[in-house]
Amino acid sequence: FWQPSAVIIDTAFLKTLPKRHIQNGMLEAIQMHLVIGTERPGFQDPAHIRRSIRSSLSAKARIVQRDEKENGERMLLNFGHTIGHAIEKVSGYTVLHGIAVGYGILAEARIAHEIGLLSSDALERITLLLRSAGIAPATLRRWNARAIIAATKYDKKRYGGKPLYVLLRDIGSPYRKGAAWAHPVPDSVVYRSLAYILTSKV
């Protein structure tokens, strides 16, 4: 591993991007806000966007410095990615990575609620934040729940052949069990969570 001496970002380049690519990147910032408790990302004001980027990068850097080889805490950076990677796969990689992670966050927050970790109020706040970034439950209907679950079996971060999920207790408060920051979840729970979203009228 060769760690960078610095990270340099010229946010003026964001002006050259179409809206969906701004959405794609900001959903990764939302992921950091939800799992680490960084500043709530903003999408319109350039100053807020700069603060969101700085806050996300700083949080990621601290985690990577503490857990360079992903033996524990660094697994938090995979929040939303287990389902997100599966959606990328079932879509034939036509969905941008950050947007797939946005759908993954929606599903994985529902999983945490389904097993009694995340309150209804926190789930609603997460859902509204994602909706403000263009991620709505109804948009997941184009994919099949069982196909998504099947695709999670190929996730690169699986352990013992089982996909792992970062689960929230609240915004900025991930669930930890011993040294584990990511956890196996029964397929039946994942299916119920996806089925709920897929039948949502919102």
Side-chain angles (χ1 to χ4, degrees):
F1 290 86
W2 294 91
Q3 300 297 351
S5 299
V7 177
I8 300 171
I9 295 175
D10 185 348
T11 56
F13 281 103
L14 295 176
K15 297 176 183 177
T16 69
L17 295 176
K19 184 177 179 181
R20 72 189 189 103
H21 283 289
I22 298 293
Q23 176 196 21
N24 187 52
M26 293 308 292
L27 280 160
E28 292 273 9
I30 284 176
Q31 178 228 13
M32 292 301 297
H33 165 68
L34 294 176
V35 80
I36 305 295
T38 56
E39 179 175 343
R40 181 183 170 117
F43 299 91
Q44 306 301 327
D45 175 34
H48 200 168
I49 289 176
R50 287 194 296 272
R51 290 197 302 272
S52 298
I53 292 170
R54 187 181 297 112
S55 178
S56 295
L57 280 176
S58 297
K60 281 190 175 183
R62 288 193 298 271
I63 289 174
V64 171
Q65 286 171 349
R66 290 194 295 262
D67 182 17
E68 182 182 41
K69 297 183 179 179
E70 200 165 359
N71 294 315
E73 187 183 11
R74 190 169 176 173
M75 289 295 289
L76 291 177
L77 303 183
N78 296 321
F79 176 55
H81 283 65
T82 302
I83 295 294
H85 289 155
I87 288 172
E88 286 182 295
K89 184 176 178 62
V90 300
S91 76
Y93 298 95
T94 59
V95 177
L96 293 173
H97 175 72
I99 293 172
V101 168
Y103 292 130
I105 291 169
L106 180 66
E108 293 179 29
R110 182 76 207 181
I111 290 169
H113 175 72
E114 190 75 27
I115 62 177
L117 286 173
L118 190 68
S119 70
S120 296
D121 177 68
L123 179 62
E124 178 66 13
R125 284 184 282 133
I126 290 169
T127 301
L128 290 174
L129 178 58
L130 290 170
R131 190 178 299 152
S132 74
I135 300 296
T139 58
L140 270 175
R141 291 180 192 151
R142 72 186 78 172
W143 300 296
N144 177 275
R146 296 196 186 281
I148 293 172
I149 291 171
T152 65
K153 308 303 182 183
Y154 299 95
D155 191 77
K156 61 183 179 180
K157 302 295 174 67
R158 66 190 183 279
Y159 181 78
K162 294 181 179 180
L164 299 178
Y165 297 85
V166 175
L167 303 169
L168 297 185
R169 295 180 303 168
D170 200 350
I171 293 174
S173 179
Y175 171 67
R176 180 182 182 182
K177 184 177 182 180
W181 293 93
H183 316 275
V185 174
D187 285 350
S188 58
V189 174
V190 179
Y191 181 81
R192 284 200 307 271
S193 302
L194 287 169
Y196 180 90
I197 295 170
L198 291 168
T199 57
S200 171
K201 301 300 182 183
V202 181

